[in-house]
């Protein structure tokens, strides 16, 4: 009996010593595929349809990145950025707003690029009830007071391009104010034309395409300059690497195909 008890004690001691000699292995953690990141993109209202489509395509390229777009006039977006709004990437419908932001130190150095070119067009409602045929004719009708034109506000790029067209024809905007209605961005101007609330409107070719509107004329560079869309990562971005990657994707073949399908000309 004593031998049996002694044997049990010896076995227990051996098991205890063996346990003490073993080191605990650290638990293995699965390597993350990539931390989830949310990017805020401020883009000109005229990019709404195309950028939404490209964002959907980008989900398969970078599933860990969620793109949150905000669309408005470039002037309104600039103001929001200046007032401290969170934004990682800014795409303007004209260089003026980007120039201002860059001069204020708001652009991450080396990231600005000219992304797209658009065209300024004269669009008419379905059936063209007023028989508008060209910018030349529009200029005459404005001076005689026989037309109602929709245009963008003066702080909106499409409105600024329209003002350049007025200057080209020697038209005093104040003198023809009774022939004008305004929109806070190009989408509002487009809606006025689509709803037949005006005889015609000055909008971008891409917005006319997206709204199914006919265009009767296209402004030349001599009339209003080139319509360039610059893009840049903001200096304040907390996710600048991811913002740069998305900006690069906007110049990819897949993104270019989407832009070209509505009338943009990719530049990058």
């Amino acid at each position: 009996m004593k031998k049996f008890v002694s044997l049990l004690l010896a076995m227990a001691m051996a098991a205890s010593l063996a346990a003490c000699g073993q080191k605990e292995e650290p638990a293995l953690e699965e390597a993350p595929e990539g931390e989830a990141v949310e990017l805020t993109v401020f883009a000109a209202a005229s990019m709404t349809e195309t950028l939404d489509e490209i964002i959907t395509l980008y989900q398969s390229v970078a599933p860990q990145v969620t793109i949150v777009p905000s669309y408005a006039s470039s002037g309104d977006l600039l103001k929001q950025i200046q007032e401290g709004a969170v934004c990682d990437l800014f795409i303007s419908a004209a260089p003026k707003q980007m120039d201002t932001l860059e001069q204020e130190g708001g652009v991450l150095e080396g990231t600005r690029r000219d992304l797209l070119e658009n065209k300024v067009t004269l669009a008419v409602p379905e059936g063209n009830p007023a028989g508008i045929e060209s910018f030349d004719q529009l200029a005459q009708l404005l001076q005689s007071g026989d037309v109602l034109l929709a245009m963008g506000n003066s702080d909106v790029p499409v409105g600024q391009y329209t003002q350049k067209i007025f200057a080209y024809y020697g038209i005093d905007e104040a003198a023809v104010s009774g022939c004008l209605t305004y929109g806070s961005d190009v989408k509002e101007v487009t809606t006025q034309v689509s709803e037949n609330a005006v005889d015609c409107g000055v909008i971008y070719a891409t917005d006319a395409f997206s709204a199914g509107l006919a265009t009767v004329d296209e402004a030349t560079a001599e009339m209003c300059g080139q319509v360039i869309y610059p893009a840049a990562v903001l200096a304040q971005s907390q996710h600048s690497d991811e913002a740069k990657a998305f900006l690069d994707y906007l110049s990819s073949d897949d993104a270019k195909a989407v832009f070209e399908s509505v009338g943009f000309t990719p530049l990058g």
Side-chain angles (χ1 to χ4, degrees):
M1 182 68 178
K2 289 182 179 180
K3 289 182 178 181
F4 179 71
V5 172
S6 297
L7 181 60
L8 288 177
L9 290 172
M11 291 174 64
M13 185 175 294
S16 176
L17 290 172
C20 290
Q22 292 177 350
K23 294 181 180 180
E24 288 188 10
E25 294 293 334
L28 295 177
E29 296 182 3
E30 293 185 5
E33 295 182 359
E35 292 185 9
V37 171
E38 183 174 282
L39 290 181
T40 301
V41 177
F42 280 11
S46 51
M47 296 185 68
T48 303
E49 295 84 3
T50 49
L51 194 58
D52 279 348
E53 185 174 346
I54 291 170
I55 288 170
T56 299
L57 294 175
Y58 194 63
Q59 290 175 348
S60 63
V61 176
Q64 78 280 10
V65 178
T66 299
I67 309 291
V68 180
S70 179
Y71 302 107
S73 73
S74 301
D76 283 347
L77 294 174
L78 172 62
K79 185 177 180 180
Q80 291 176 40
I81 293 170
Q82 291 171 323
E83 292 176 348
V86 174
C87 177
D88 297 290
L89 179 66
F90 179 39
I91 311 174
S92 172
K96 180 179 179 179
Q97 289 74 22
M98 189 68 75
D99 290 345
T100 298
L101 188 61
E102 189 167 28
Q103 290 163 8
E104 294 174 352
V107 169
L108 185 63
E109 186 176 354
T111 63
R112 178 174 175 172
R113 69 179 69 173
D114 288 340
L115 185 66
L116 303 165
E117 183 177 2
N118 209 338
K119 296 296 182 183
V120 172
T121 64
L122 184 59
V124 295
E126 184 176 0
N128 192 8
I132 308 297
E133 297 179 353
S134 66
F135 278 111
D136 288 347
Q137 181 191 18
L138 173 65
Q140 295 172 0
L141 292 172
L142 283 170
Q143 290 169 336
S144 64
D146 296 323
V147 70
L148 184 59
L149 170 72
M151 62 178 285
N153 291 338
S154 60
D155 62 341
V156 179
V158 74
Q160 294 162 356
Y161 290 123
T162 306
Q163 289 176 324
K164 290 180 179 179
I165 293 172
F166 285 177
Y168 174 82
Y169 284 104
I171 296 171
D172 182 347
E173 183 178 349
V176 299
S177 60
C179 298
L180 306 175
T181 67
Y182 292 88
S184 62
D185 59 36
V186 70
K187 293 301 183 187
E188 286 193 7
V189 179
T190 303
T191 297
Q192 292 182 48
V193 180
S194 295
E195 294 180 349
N196 204 9
V198 293
D199 296 318
C200 55
V202 179
I203 62 176
Y204 300 123
T206 54
D207 290 282
F209 178 90
S210 296
L213 290 171
T215 60
V216 296
D217 204 357
E218 184 178 285
T220 64
E222 183 183 6
M223 293 166 66
C224 66
Q226 282 185 287
V227 184
I228 303 298
Y229 285 53
V233 177
L234 268 63
Q236 66 167 334
S237 174
Q238 298 299 305
H239 307 291
S240 57
D241 288 341
E242 290 83 1
K244 289 177 188 176
F246 181 61
L247 179 54
D248 286 340
Y249 184 77
L250 293 179
S251 294
S252 69
D253 289 342
D254 288 344
K256 286 180 179 179
V258 176
F259 286 132
E260 289 171 344
S261 70
V262 300
F264 279 115
T265 300
L267 300 176

